[in-house]
Structure formats: structure tokens, C-alpha cells
Amino acid sequence: MLETERQIWYAAFKAKDTRFDGRLFVGVSSTGIYCRPICRAKMPKAENCTFYTTAAEAEQAGFRPCLICRPELAPGNAPVDATSSLAHRAARLLEALCGSEQSIGEAAHRLGCTDRHLRRAFTAEYSVSPVQYLQTCRLLLAKNLLTDTDLSVIDVAMAAGFGSLRRFNDLFKKQYNLVPTALRRQAATAKNKESNVTLTLGYRPPYQWQQMLDFLALRAIPGVEVVRDGEYLRTVHFETSGQRHVYGWIRVGHQPKKNALTVTVDIALLPVLTQVLARVRHLFDLHCDPDAVYETLVTMNDIRPGLCVLGVRVPGSFEPFEMAVRAVLGQQITVKGARTLAARLVEKHGVPIQTGIEGLTNVFPSPQEILALDGPISNHLGPLGIIGARANTIFELARAFVQKDVDFNFCAQPETEVQRLMSVPGIGTWTAQYIAMRAMGWPDAFLHTDYGIKKALEPRTPKEILGLAEAWRPWRSYATVNLWNYL
């Protein structure tokens, strides 16, 4: 590392600069711990500091996580250049799968590359192997659970993907020089005594939380989603690797003073906890670097003051099939009209569950359940007010999900998946771009034919709008949301 670079990183550490949080970790040789750059502990001397780009790299160098700034709460990154896109999508996939027993080879297959290529790209980007990164994900999740919840140590070990208590204890002690029960005794925070689990997920500020809630509230599907009292709640359904169906609910709130979201998870979802947290991060766009986005999009304010606001996030999705169906239902009708059709679909074909929470009564029907309906799909969806063409599109979407014709999650090449998606009858440019933006997490999707976009940028034609948006790459999804918000 160049001395000038070390000086820049130390200055960021000294200033507690939130822009570097999640992109920089500081190993302190005098204490043997590593910190986030926002840590409020006593400032170490520059000669005692070593800088790393990931928590995994710091741990491989022999440092233990700080108990004050808690590196497990650091936000992630979302670069989009071709050289690092694969590695970062792989990192997000590993975070989601760290609670399961899936191999690195299976992760590579899902990302459409060879095991060897993934390891090479990952190591070049993060300076650690995928296996080492996965180990750190599991250890930090376990540390989070031990610190913030009342779960038994064996439940913590299983939820974090260790497979056995002995393996967990051995690795935790080896890596952190601390047994799990000792960390629990040291934890100063109050434990959760209810029959659920509450964890904290950090983000890089600022975060336009109310705008995000307003967007989700307008599109919330009755029975499945509720937005109230400044929080987002929804029902959840997963099928485990053992083909067991797991049902429950989550609640997401905001802690602006901590630059974090609180995520309360039904205890029934503990076997799929890592997948739940990964989807919450995706839904609320917690990997976003708002300063990097704003630096590119600030020129939008030359068109009209206030067109671009620092801290705007792109609403993702928790359940990609649900979101894709919702996009189809929204074709050429109002947001309210699409919400009404989605509510009828859930009431008729959704799975009823008991949550004990007002307004959360069903999970959205799965693609398998749609395909299992007898006879023409229009016979089932037509009486709900869904026209035949859209009913057929929903059926074909379900087929694409089940047969994996299109990768709706962690896809390495969103542009390719968009083209595949447009081969589904009834999926045009607007719908494909919308699904890519929200389900696939593509930051450069752009809906130039959208009514709201045209309204915000009138009197320009769609062709002129598309040309104008070239200057907003690779953040055109964020430009889209800013334009919607402006209206």
C-alpha cells in the first residue's frame, strides 16, 4: 500500500467519515482488533494501523472484531464496473447462503461461471478466497446473534450455518480468542425476550427512509404487506434445502441515529435467517453508496432544481416472483388498480397463515402453485379481473421461474437476463426494465417510456429522454426513482 493511500485512509478513520464505512476496515496492532472507520474507541497511532477492504481480509490477518463499533453491522458495497461486478454479486450470494451448506461450486453455477473463475475474480477483488469470506460471514452473523438476541448458542450456531456446535465453538475461539458464551456475558445491549429475533443492518447515510416507505406503502399488497407507524411488515415463505416449507413474518424499522435498520424476524424463520436478511438488504438497497450515486446524478438538478436528492434508494423486492407478477398487473393501469388485482390474487390463491399481526394474513402464491392450477389459467385469474393476456403472461412467468429460464436473483449479467425476460409473451421493455431494477437489483435499468418519467421530463420525447439518460449511467435506476419522487 502506498504511503499516500495510508494517509488518506487514516485521515478518513480519524474523521469518522461515514462514506468509508463498509469499504474500509482498520486493524490495530496494539490491541489485535479491527474496527470500522466510524469507531468511537480511542484513536490509535497511525503506525499501529493496517487497512483492509473487507472484514474477511482483516480476520485472515489475525485481527478480532471490535466489540464497540461491531464490524458485522457495516454496510456493504455495490460497484457496477465489469471487473468487480461478478465478485460483488458473489459476495451478496455468499451472505445469503452462509446459513446453508451450499458449496462454492454451486454458487459459481448460479452465477454462470466456473468455480475456478469465481475464485480468481473473488480473490482479486477482496484479497481473500470465497471460502474465507464465507467463514467471516458466518462468524459475524453469529457474533450479531450472540450480542443482540436471547437465542441459545446451539441455535446461533445452526442459524449461522456451522452445522455443529463443536465446529462453531472451535472456530469462534480460534478466530476471536473468545468462547461464544463469554461474548454473551460481555454484551452490554439488552437481549430480546420475545419469541422473535431482532437484528440491526447498517447502511451508508444519508437514507431517504420516508420516501422508501411511501413507495412501498402505495404498492403494498393487502394481506401480504403492511406499512404503518414508520415500519414495514410482511409475510414470508421459504422452501429450505430439505424441501421443507417455512412461513413467518418480518418487521423492518429505522434507527437514523445509528444509520441502521432494525429487522425483527419471526422465530419460525430462524432456519432461513441468512436468506431473510439478504432479501431485506436487497429490498431496502442497503449496499448503496449514496455519495457515488449523487456525484453522477447531481447534473439532473441542472434540468430542474430538486430533481435529484442525495440519499434516495432504489426499492428492491423481497420475493422476486411476487414483484414480477405485480409488474405485469401494473401494465397500463394505475398503481392502485394493480394493487387491487394483486389483493384479489392473494385472497383467492395465496396461502393463509397465522401471524398475530393485523393485516398480515397470507403469503403470495408461489410459481409452483400457479402452474399447478387445473385448466386454462384464464379460468382462474379471469374472474379476479385479470385479462386473459396478462393471465397468460403470469403463467409463463411462473414457468420461467420454475424452469430457471431467467435468473431473477444475483444474476451476473442483468442485460442478458432482460433479453431473456423479453422473450416471455407479454413482457415488453417497460416490464423487463422494471423487473430488472427491482428484482435483479440492476442499478442501470431505465424506463424511458414510463408515464411518470415522461411527465417529469416533458416536453422531451422518449428517444430524447433515452439520450439524456446516457449521462446518468451506471445509476439510471436511481435516476428513475428520483424522477418518480419528484412528481
Side-chain angles (χ1 to χ4, degrees):
M1 182 185 298
L2 297 176
E3 185 59 31
T4 53
E5 191 175 41
R6 283 180 54 86
Q7 291 173 352
I8 291 171
W9 284 10
Y10 186 76
F13 184 27
K14 189 174 182 179
K16 312 303 177 192
D17 195 330
T18 58
R19 292 175 299 176
F20 289 84
D21 193 16
R23 296 195 289 180
L24 174 66
F25 295 88
V26 187
V28 183
S29 60
S30 57
T31 61
I33 66 171
Y34 71 97
C35 300
R36 297 160 68 182
I38 61 169
C39 188
R40 296 296 174 180
K42 183 179 178 181
M43 191 68 189
K45 296 178 180 178
E47 57 265 29
N48 292 336
C49 295
T50 308
F51 300 96
Y52 304 96
T53 55
T54 67
E57 189 180 2
E59 293 198 2
Q60 288 302 311
F63 293 98
R64 305 184 306 278
C66 177
L67 298 181
I68 297 175
C69 66
R70 301 180 59 189
E72 69 269 20
L73 303 184
N77 289 316
V80 293
D81 58 279
T83 57
S84 60
S85 179
L86 173 63
H88 282 265
R89 287 185 177 274
R92 294 174 69 173
L93 180 57
L94 293 176
E95 290 168 7
L97 299 178
C98 75
S100 70
E101 294 295 322
Q102 288 200 26
S103 67
I104 301 300
E106 290 171 312
H109 178 73
R110 286 187 58 174
L111 290 166
C113 64
T114 64
D115 188 342
R116 182 181 178 185
H117 179 63
L118 176 60
R119 292 175 191 275
R120 183 169 56 244
F122 199 95
T123 303
E125 182 70 16
Y126 288 118
S127 301
V128 293
S129 70
V131 171
Q132 291 169 330
Y133 189 90
L134 186 60
Q135 173 182 288
T136 298
C137 287
R138 287 172 172 158
L139 285 169
L140 290 179
L141 174 59
K143 180 179 178 294
N144 199 350
L145 290 168
L146 288 167
T147 304
D148 286 348
T149 78
D150 202 22
L151 290 175
S152 68
V153 176
I154 181 66
D155 283 341
V156 169
M158 296 302 108
F162 285 97
S164 76
L165 181 59
R166 180 177 179 179
R167 181 184 173 197
F168 170 51
N169 282 330
D170 289 347
L171 189 57
F172 203 91
K173 186 175 182 179
K174 175 185 176 183
Q175 199 71 22
Y176 294 164
N177 196 27
L178 195 67
V179 295
T181 50
L183 175 63
R184 172 150 283 172
R185 286 195 298 269
Q186 289 185 24
T189 54
K191 302 296 192 299
N192 174 34
K193 299 295 183 182
E194 302 176 11
S195 58
N196 49 58
V197 174
T198 299
L199 295 172
T200 304
L201 299 179
Y203 62 77
R204 194 170 289 106
Y207 192 116
Q208 300 294 337
W209 173 251
Q210 192 56 51
Q211 287 187 345
M212 173 66 81
L213 276 191
D214 291 344
F215 184 95
L216 296 176
L218 189 62
R219 294 159 179 80
I221 301 174
V224 175
E225 302 170 286
V226 172
V227 175
R228 61 170 171 250
D229 300 327
E231 295 181 322
Y232 172 83
L233 303 90
R234 68 163 294 125
T235 58
V236 173
H237 166 233
F238 279 94
E239 185 176 350
T240 68
S241 55
Q243 296 186 324
R244 182 167 68 93
H245 292 272
V246 180
Y247 299 90
W249 56 269
I250 62 168
R251 181 174 66 242
V252 182
H254 188 211
Q255 288 188 312
K257 292 183 179 179
K258 294 185 177 180
N259 295 329
L261 303 186
T262 56
V263 185
T264 301
V265 181
D266 187 349
I267 195 69
L269 299 174
L270 196 58
V272 291
L273 179 62
T274 57
Q275 296 177 63
V276 171
L277 296 178
R279 292 198 184 186
V280 170
R281 289 188 183 98
H282 172 52
L283 172 60
F284 290 96
D285 196 16
L286 299 189
H287 291 89
C288 173
D289 182 344
D291 290 295
V293 173
Y294 188 72
E295 185 179 343
T296 298
L297 299 187
V298 67
T299 55
M300 294 175 66
N301 293 330
D302 295 336
I303 300 172
R304 198 163 290 135
L307 214 54
C308 178
V309 177
L310 177 63
V312 166
R313 298 312 206 263
V314 173
S317 66
F318 190 90
E319 168 42 59
F321 179 66
E322 171 191 306
M323 205 290 305
V325 170
R326 179 66 173 70
V328 171
L329 294 177
Q331 292 173 343
Q332 298 180 332
I333 64 172
T334 64
V335 171
K336 183 178 179 180
R339 184 172 181 261
T340 299
L341 292 178
R344 293 174 186 168
L345 179 62
V346 167
E347 184 178 8
K348 181 67 176 178
H349 299 291
V351 178
I353 65 170
Q354 297 294 325
T355 65
I357 299 175
E358 183 183 357
L360 298 185
T361 58
N362 296 76
V363 296
F364 197 85
S366 69
Q368 291 85 354
E369 289 163 341
I370 294 296
L371 293 180
L373 295 174
D374 292 330
I377 189 66
S378 57
N379 291 351
H380 298 278
L381 304 190
L384 306 179
I386 301 172
I387 63 174
R390 289 189 191 128
N392 290 333
T393 299
I394 291 171
F395 187 83
E396 292 302 323
L397 264 179
R399 193 199 305 275
F401 266 87
V402 172
Q403 296 181 350
K404 296 181 171 52
D405 294 335
V406 180
D407 185 358
F408 292 87
N409 291 293
F410 304 108
C411 50
Q413 296 180 312
E415 300 96 325
T416 301
E417 300 306 321
V418 165
Q419 294 304 313
R420 292 175 180 169
L421 188 56
M422 290 178 64
S423 68
V424 176
I427 300 292
T429 301
W430 182 93
T431 308
Q433 292 285 323
Y434 187 82
I435 293 173
M437 179 176 73
R438 297 197 59 196
M440 300 176 188
W442 188 23
D444 201 35
F446 190 64
L447 289 69
H448 68 288
T449 61
D450 179 79
Y451 172 79
I453 302 299
K454 292 188 291 186
K455 182 72 174 176
L457 294 174
E458 62 184 3
R460 296 172 179 82
T461 66
K463 184 177 180 180
E464 290 171 335
I465 291 172
L466 196 58
L468 181 68
E470 282 298 306
W472 303 335
R473 289 184 181 271
W475 308 114
R476 292 184 301 171
S477 292
Y478 292 87
T480 296
V481 177
N482 268 290
L483 292 167
W484 285 341
N485 288 341
Y486 181 81
L487 294 177

